[in-house]
Amino acid sequence: MAQTTPFPVRVGVVVDMDSYVGQMGLSCITLALSDFYDKHAYYQTRLLLNTRDSKNDVVGAAAAALDLLKNVEVQAIIGPLSSGQANFMINLGDKAHVPIITFSATSPSLLSIRSPYFVRAALSDSSQVQTIGAIVQAFGWREVVPIYVENEFGGGIMPFLDDVLEQVNVHIPYRSVISPLATDDQIVAELYKLMTMQTRVFIVHMLIDLGSRLFTKAKQLGMMSEDSVWIITDGMTYDLDSIDHSVMEAMQGVIGVRPHIPKTEELDNFTIRYKKELRQNNPTAPGLGLNIFGLWAYDSAVALALAVEKARVRNATFLNANISITSTDLEGFGVSGVGTELIQALSRTTFRGLAGDFKLVDGQLQSPPYQVVNVIGQGARVVGYWTKENGIVRELNFAKSTTNTYSTFKSNIGTIIWPGDKTSPPKGWVIPTNGKKLKIGVPVKDGFSEFMHVTWDSNNSIEVVGYCKDVFDMVINALPYGVQYEYIPFATSHHNTAGSYNDLVYQVYQGKFDAVVGDVTIVANRSQYVDFTLPYTESGVSMVVAIKDDRRKKAWVFLKPLTWELWLTSFCSFVFMGFLVWILEHRINEDFRGPRWQQVGMIFWFAFSTMVFAHKERVISNLSRFMLIIWFLVVLILTQSYTASLTSMLTVQELQPTITDVNELIRKRENVGYQKGSFVFGLLKSMNFDESKLFAYNSPEEMDALFRKGSANHGIVAAFDEIPYMKLFLAKHCSKYIMVGPTYKTDGFGFVFPMGSPLVPDISRAILNVTEGKKMMEIEKTWFGDNTKCPDSSSLSSSNSLGLESFWGLFMIVGIAGVSAFTIYVIRFLHQNWHAVHSSDAEATLGSKSLELLRRFNNRDLTCHTFKNTELRENHNSSRSCDCERRAVKSSNHNKHLQPSPSTLSHNSPSNNGSPSPVSSSYEGHNVCIRVERDGEDLNGTEHGIELVSPTKNRQLASTSADLMHETQ
């Protein structure tokens, strides 16, 4: 029996007995130990609770802890409830080496004590600030006002909240601090102060008692409207189920954050048992529910019981300290002998508790995922979650993800009913009743009024119009909060400009203006004193010159589209293609035969006629057809490219500038212009322009007048200015001037703000959104008109002649195809005629053999299908056959014998109006037959017939051929 009796371990519990959290915590601790030892009856230790009432006071909590340490010598203390009470108690536990375990003191400031004997079995308030920052970032609110209680609990979260909001670029313009003992009138006075401000995003961090009163008064003052956003921390969301119905009515549309507690069977059973015991012990008590502080109290007791058993605490006592006679009660206690082993065992204790996983890291309970809830009706509805790995998500996925992408998209949050029963997110700002207006400085100038123009009426009130002003107004309207401002001209009492643009920008540095709006260029020397937003116009400085009349030089413009290399290559290609087709067609095509000069003319005619596809000659060889297919493609590309280039040149010829080189202006000491008051004057001086050659103008009209004067009459030949000004000038005078030359880099127009202004990043982002929309194009069209009819000076670069480098691939294809076709033809010709050359006289020289091949090349190829088809047609049309072996045809008018010619004769007779009189014959060594027709009548075998008796009468044929032709005619 002695061996099985558990060892009692004294443990202190310090709670506020009068508070509901204290009563709930003590009940949960008692139930936890009862449940734990019922399951672990074999454990050798038992926790023995010693309860003390802190009386909701810091001194009371300290006195209770001192009593437990000095008189009871407890080995651990569970409590206290509040962060303010915990400060002193933690120091006492550190001195006595006794673990102090709190389940409700959540202030992050307790970490500054850095005691190894302090264990927080609850979540620190700092663990929820990232969830709040993600919500603010998701909806794009740029300013928030925290409202918190003025004590350790309220102020401890602020440094962490500031850091998180700064990371997401959210500004805190004001902090509303309310005393925990504040009256209703004091709360109303603070709310009235908030109503005078424009920010309507409020983060409330206080406990349920004070928070209920705050929302009740906010509802009465009309601050729970559709323009407002109210976010509550877990200090209030823990107790939403126990809030009075009237308070819940006032909190409709509020969103809050709270730790995610997994739903388990053990939690459900304990909740039922707790409520049952609460009704039995306090039948008259209000029906307050179980919140997370009770669950943390339960898990704290379980963790301590496990740690005591692991540390093998047996009859633990305090070691007496060196106490003098003058020692106070604070020094009159010893040191726990098992404190070090107990705190080590407690830090290694892990288990699955009612509130989730219990795991301590550096004495702190690890943060679980957080819920985002929306107060609707008499409860709170979960609309999303936040995790460290994935940010805001619609549903929790406890499976390990391989991507772990952190996001803060509001689309991941479910539908929220906002204050005022609205589903669309509030802007989070309103126009304040007494807000300060920004003083916006604007330039006063005579010309280029499309950018900014200021006028005064008889009452000395001003009107500001212009492109820059409209862009700024549109950008301010795109901000997620309101900005009040007024335009103030930078002018003298006589309504004249008060200085240059540099002077205007310097006014912001001196604090006389809060910002500058106008055609102010972003340059390096100005950025040393002020901050610029992103540019909202095109950047760069360019040159404008007059257009010269170049009509007299257009006579030979048709030669300019192609370079001389391309012209020469094209000519040679045409000749090469004509000669190659002549070679391929000469032996088989009558169109490519005839006298020598006729054939030379045919080569050039056929080749160049393909350029306009006007050739009428029919090609027969497949090699020729193959070559022409490739050649037609090349010709088509060349002609189309030439046409396009010539069209472009004829257009650009109308836009030829008088000068294109800046160095030529400097070398010739020509007069150039610049806009008065612009930084371009300094740019021209840095480019080594003579200052005496620089002329200022105030408007596009003055610039045009200086151009018309010319350099000889104190005018200008070129003007330098920023591209927006030049485009405006060209829109009015595009027929006379053109923008040429290089563009000198600048950053365009920007809005000016003081150094470090929080408005700069927000306005820069708004500029990006605005410039990408259609509204920007509408503003530009309103002030600058439609300048699409004016040609772009960049088209000058397109007037360059086409060179051989653009078409060498085409010519290479033609050359390869032509050489291949010629090689194939030569091989076939030699194969067909090599036997005749080889069988000739063996003593024949190479030259004679070559002449023989050339002679055969010059003759017709009667084996070709074209000649065969011709012979068949002639025989078919003949009325009688002609025996060419031995037959003689006699003529009634002549008794002369003819020797046949080696070639076929064909003539046109004048007497029959050009109708053909074919003469058929055979080659030498064979008898021939000649068929003669006259007016369609076959003369063979008639009295006009002719007989060629033998090849031995060649000489007679030569003498009588003329008579034959005369007779047939």
Side-chain angles (χ1 to χ4, degrees):
M1 291 294 295
Q3 292 179 353
T4 58
T5 301
F7 295 96
V9 179
R10 292 182 294 273
V11 175
V13 179
V14 179
V15 294
D16 300 330
M17 295 299 185
D18 295 334
S19 69
Y20 171 73
V21 176
Q23 297 173 9
M24 177 183 59
L26 184 58
S27 299
C28 290
I29 291 172
T30 303
L31 292 173
L33 295 180
S34 175
D35 295 341
F36 182 79
Y37 289 122
D38 286 344
K39 295 179 181 179
H40 303 85
Y42 57 90
Y43 271 27
Q44 298 296 312
T45 57
R46 294 292 187 272
L47 297 184
L48 182 60
L49 299 180
N50 295 267
T51 306
R52 296 291 185 273
D53 185 6
S54 64
K55 298 179 182 180
N56 196 22
D57 183 67
V58 176
V59 178
L66 186 61
D67 176 58
L68 292 172
L69 293 174
K70 183 177 182 181
N71 300 324
V72 183
E73 294 186 347
V74 295
Q75 301 303 316
I77 297 177
I78 300 178
L81 297 183
S82 67
S83 301
Q85 297 173 6
N87 266 326
F88 187 69
M89 192 181 294
I90 293 173
N91 288 318
L92 291 178
D94 187 52
K95 185 176 180 62
H97 293 184
V98 173
I100 306 297
I101 307 171
T102 180
F103 60 86
S104 59
T106 58
S107 175
S109 62
L110 297 179
L111 293 178
S112 62
I113 301 176
R114 300 183 181 278
S115 171
Y117 293 93
F118 172 59
V119 174
R120 179 159 31 208
L123 293 177
S124 172
D125 289 336
S126 62
S127 61
Q128 63 185 320
V129 296
Q130 289 185 333
T131 307
I132 296 173
I135 294 173
V136 175
Q137 184 181 13
F139 289 97
W141 299 310
R142 310 311 304 169
E143 290 187 349
V144 300
V145 173
I147 306 174
Y148 57 95
V149 62
E150 190 178 14
N151 58 16
E152 189 74 20
F153 168 77
I157 195 177
M158 289 311 300
F160 300 91
L161 184 61
D162 286 347
D163 292 342
V164 169
L165 294 179
E166 184 179 356
Q167 291 175 4
V168 296
N169 198 23
V170 176
H171 180 56
I172 298 179
Y174 177 73
R175 296 184 182 186
S176 178
V177 184
I178 299 177
S179 171
L181 304 176
T183 63
D184 290 347
D185 292 338
Q186 291 173 332
I187 294 176
V188 170
E190 184 65 24
L191 291 176
Y192 271 124
K193 186 183 297 184
L194 296 178
M195 291 176 65
T196 62
M197 303 176 185
Q198 72 169 6
T199 305
R200 287 295 183 269
V201 181
F202 306 109
I203 300 176
V204 180
H205 180 62
M206 54 184 60
L207 296 178
I208 194 66
D209 295 335
L210 183 60
S212 299
R213 296 166 56 200
L214 174 72
F215 279 102
T216 301
K217 295 303 178 183
K219 178 68 173 179
Q220 294 175 0
L221 296 178
M223 296 186 67
M224 302 299 296
S225 63
E226 60 185 24
D227 296 325
S228 301
V229 179
W230 293 85
I231 304 174
I232 58 176
T233 62
D234 55 12
M236 292 189 66
T237 53
Y238 291 146
D239 296 319
L240 286 178
D241 295 336
S242 60
I243 293 180
D244 186 77
H245 293 311
S246 62
V247 178
M248 290 295 291
E249 288 293 333
M251 294 180 63
Q252 295 298 298
V254 173
I255 57 177
V257 297
R258 65 186 181 189
H260 171 66
I261 301 175
K263 298 295 183 181
T264 61
E265 184 178 356
E266 291 80 2
L267 177 59
D268 294 337
N269 294 335
F270 178 76
T271 303
I272 295 173
R273 189 155 56 93
Y274 172 79
K275 292 181 178 180
K276 181 179 179 181
E277 183 173 342
L278 182 63
R279 286 193 298 269
Q280 292 176 353
N281 297 335
N282 300 288
T284 60
L288 299 177
L290 177 68
N291 64 22
I292 196 171
F293 292 114
L295 303 181
W296 283 336
Y298 186 99
D299 292 344
S300 299
V302 174
L304 183 58
L306 288 171
V308 167
E309 183 69 20
K310 290 180 180 179
R312 298 181 180 275
V313 177
R314 304 288 190 273
N315 298 321
T317 58
F318 273 40
L319 303 176
N320 292 328
N322 295 326
I323 302 174
S324 63
I325 300 176
T326 58
S327 297
T328 63
D329 289 340
L330 296 177
E331 300 171 330
F333 55 86
V335 177
S336 174
V338 296
T340 303
E341 293 79 4
L342 183 57
I343 193 65
Q344 292 177 355
L346 189 60
S347 63
R348 295 192 297 267
T349 300
T350 59
F351 61 94
R352 180 75 171 180
L354 293 182
D357 293 333
F358 185 93
K359 182 180 180 181
L360 299 175
V361 177
D362 295 331
Q364 304 291 315
L365 186 66
Q366 290 305 288
S367 174
Y370 268 81
Q371 295 178 345
V372 181
V373 298
N374 183 209
V375 178
I376 300 295
Q378 293 300 316
R381 180 172 59 92
V382 178
V383 294
Y385 297 88
W386 177 89
T387 64
K388 294 180 180 179
E389 296 80 12
N390 303 108
I392 296 177
V393 294
R394 181 68 63 88
E395 298 291 342
L396 284 179
N397 183 12
F398 291 101
K400 290 186 178 180
S401 175
T402 57
T403 56
N404 288 341
T405 302
Y406 188 91
S407 66
T408 56
F409 300 121
K410 65 180 180 181
S411 58
N412 293 339
I413 302 178
T415 302
I416 297 178
I417 306 300
W418 301 94
D421 199 24
K422 298 293 184 180
T423 57
S424 58
K427 288 184 177 180
W429 60 269
V430 295
I431 298 176
T433 57
N434 60 349
K436 175 187 175 183
K437 291 185 177 181
L438 296 180
K439 295 182 294 184
I440 307 295
V442 294
V444 176
K445 54 193 304 183
D446 297 330
F448 295 99
S449 58
E450 290 84 356
F451 290 97
M452 187 67 75
H453 184 61
V454 182
T455 57
W456 284 263
D457 58 14
S458 58
N459 298 326
N460 208 30
S461 62
I462 66 168
E463 180 184 7
V464 180
V465 295
Y467 168 77
C468 301
K469 185 257 186 186
D470 287 353
V471 172
F472 184 75
D473 292 342
M474 185 169 55
V475 168
I476 292 298
N477 292 332
L479 293 176
Y481 52 86
V483 176
Q484 295 295 303
Y485 58 95
E486 58 180 345
Y487 293 110
I488 301 177
F490 183 54
T492 64
S493 58
H494 300 289
H495 301 166
N496 297 321
T497 180
S500 65
Y501 276 67
N502 288 335
D503 298 331
L504 175 59
V505 171
Y506 199 69
Q507 300 296 307
V508 177
Y509 175 75
Q510 292 179 332
K512 296 181 180 180
F513 289 138
D514 296 318
V516 168
V517 172
D519 47 345
V520 181
T521 305
I522 304 173
V523 292
N525 63 330
R526 295 172 182 173
S527 63
Q528 298 177 4
Y529 306 99
V530 295
D531 275 350
F532 286 94
T533 64
L534 290 178
Y536 57 91
T537 62
E538 189 175 356
S539 61
V541 174
S542 189
M543 178 175 67
V544 166
V545 297
I547 297 174
K548 64 181 179 181
D549 186 4
D550 200 30
R551 287 175 294 182
R552 290 176 297 176
K553 299 181 180 180
K554 290 184 179 180
W556 301 99
V557 70
F558 68 92
L559 295 175
K560 293 183 179 180
L562 307 182
T563 61
W564 68 269
E565 295 93 346
L566 186 55
W567 277 116
L568 180 61
T569 304
S570 301
F571 176 80
C572 295
S573 299
F574 277 101
V575 175
F576 168 74
M577 180 54 60
F579 182 71
L580 180 61
V581 172
W582 176 82
I583 291 177
L584 299 176
E585 296 289 325
H586 177 67
R587 302 185 67 235
I588 60 177
N589 195 335
E590 289 291 347
D591 292 337
F592 291 85
R593 299 187 63 83
R596 180 181 305 172
W597 288 110
Q598 181 180 355
Q599 297 183 50
V600 172
M602 176 59 66
I603 292 175
F604 286 92
W605 158 254
F606 181 83
F608 287 96
S609 63
T610 58
M611 183 169 57
V612 290
F613 306 101
H615 58 286
K616 297 181 179 180
E617 292 75 18
R618 185 170 62 93
V619 294
I620 298 174
S621 172
N622 285 332
L623 290 177
S624 301
R625 293 169 178 172
F626 168 72
M627 285 301 305
L628 287 179
I629 291 174
I630 299 177
W631 180 245
F632 288 157
L633 176 64
V634 175
V635 170
L636 178 64
I637 295 175
L638 281 176
T639 54
Q640 294 296 326
S641 301
Y642 174 84
T643 303
S645 181
L646 180 60
T647 303
S648 175
M649 281 191 171
L650 291 176
T651 303
V652 172
Q653 287 294 323
E654 302 290 342
L655 303 174
Q656 288 296 327
T658 55
I659 193 168
T660 59
D661 190 4
V662 177
N663 295 323
E664 185 178 354
L665 291 173
I666 300 174
R667 184 175 62 256
K668 293 183 177 181
R669 296 175 56 83
E670 297 284 2
N671 297 341
V672 297
Y674 67 95
Q675 188 179 169
K676 186 177 182 181
S678 173
F679 74 98
V680 177
F681 176 75
L683 175 65
L684 295 177
K685 290 180 62 178
S686 66
M687 295 168 60
N688 296 325
F689 276 96
D690 189 351
E691 186 173 349
S692 62
K693 299 297 182 180
L694 303 180
F695 292 79
Y697 54 83
N698 287 319
S699 64
E701 292 72 21
E702 291 187 17
M703 188 197 305
D704 180 47
L706 289 174
F707 269 115
R708 284 188 279 105
K709 287 183 179 179
S711 182
N713 298 321
H714 300 286
I716 59 176
V717 297
F720 289 84
D721 215 333
E722 294 182 83
I723 292 179
Y725 296 118
M726 290 306 190
K727 286 191 173 182
L728 177 62
F729 175 74
L730 293 178
K732 300 178 179 180
H733 306 282
C734 63
S735 62
K736 299 191 301 182
Y737 306 100
I738 193 170
M739 190 186 306
V740 295
T743 299
Y744 301 94
K745 182 63 178 176
T746 61
D747 286 334
F749 296 163
F751 302 126
V752 183
F753 287 89
M755 295 283 285
S757 173
L759 289 174
V760 171
D762 291 343
I763 291 182
S764 295
R765 276 186 290 269
I767 288 174
L768 293 177
N769 295 330
V770 165
T771 53
E772 294 175 359
K774 295 182 179 179
K775 186 66 175 177
M776 192 72 173
M777 299 176 61
E778 294 176 1
I779 294 177
E780 291 179 354
K781 188 174 182 180
T782 300
W783 290 103
F784 305 141
D786 186 6
N787 58 356
T788 57
K789 296 181 180 180
C790 293
D792 189 0
S793 62
S794 61
S795 62
L796 287 174
S797 60
S798 65
S799 62
N800 295 331
S801 301
L802 297 175
L804 182 61
E805 64 278 359
S806 302
F807 301 96
W808 67 269
L810 290 175
F811 292 116
M812 182 181 67
I813 294 174
V814 172
I816 294 175
V819 172
S820 301
F822 179 76
T823 303
I824 294 173
Y825 178 81
V826 170
I827 293 174
R828 289 172 53 185
F829 176 75
L830 292 177
H831 177 71
Q832 294 173 359
N833 298 276
W834 187 254
H835 65 281
V837 177
H838 185 70
S839 60
S840 60
D841 189 1
E843 296 181 358
T845 62
L846 180 61
S848 61
K849 293 182 178 181
S850 299
L851 291 176
E852 178 63 20
L853 289 175
L854 290 177
R855 188 185 67 80
R856 288 180 172 270
F857 170 76
N858 192 46
N859 292 335
R860 291 179 175 84
D861 185 6
L862 296 181
T863 63
C864 178
H865 68 281
T866 56
F867 295 112
K868 292 180 179 180
N869 294 337
T870 302
E871 183 178 354
L872 290 175
R873 287 195 305 267
E874 292 174 352
N875 292 335
H876 178 73
N877 295 330
S878 178
S879 60
R880 61 182 64 187
S881 61
C882 179
D883 184 7
C884 298
E885 293 181 358
R886 299 288 182 180
R887 181 177 174 185
V889 181
K890 299 181 180 180
S891 173
S892 61
N893 296 330
H894 300 279
N895 292 322
K896 297 180 180 180
H897 301 281
L898 302 177
Q899 178 70 23
S901 171
S903 61
T904 301
L905 302 177
S906 178
H907 299 276
N908 293 331
S909 174
S911 62
N912 60 9
N913 297 323
S915 58
S917 299
V919 179
S920 300
S921 69
S922 65
Y923 284 101
E924 295 180 4
H926 299 276
N927 293 327
V928 300
C929 174
I930 297 178
R931 179 172 59 85
V932 182
E933 293 183 3
R934 182 176 61 191
D935 297 332
E937 179 183 0
D938 190 358
L939 303 182
N940 289 339
T942 65
E943 59 181 354
H944 300 287
I946 303 171
E947 180 182 6
L948 306 180
V949 293
S950 69
T952 59
K953 300 181 179 180
N954 292 333
R955 290 184 297 275
Q956 296 177 357
L957 175 63
S959 60
T960 59
S961 59
D963 296 334
L964 171 63
M965 298 309 301
H966 176 75
E967 178 61 20
T968 57
Q969 292 176 0

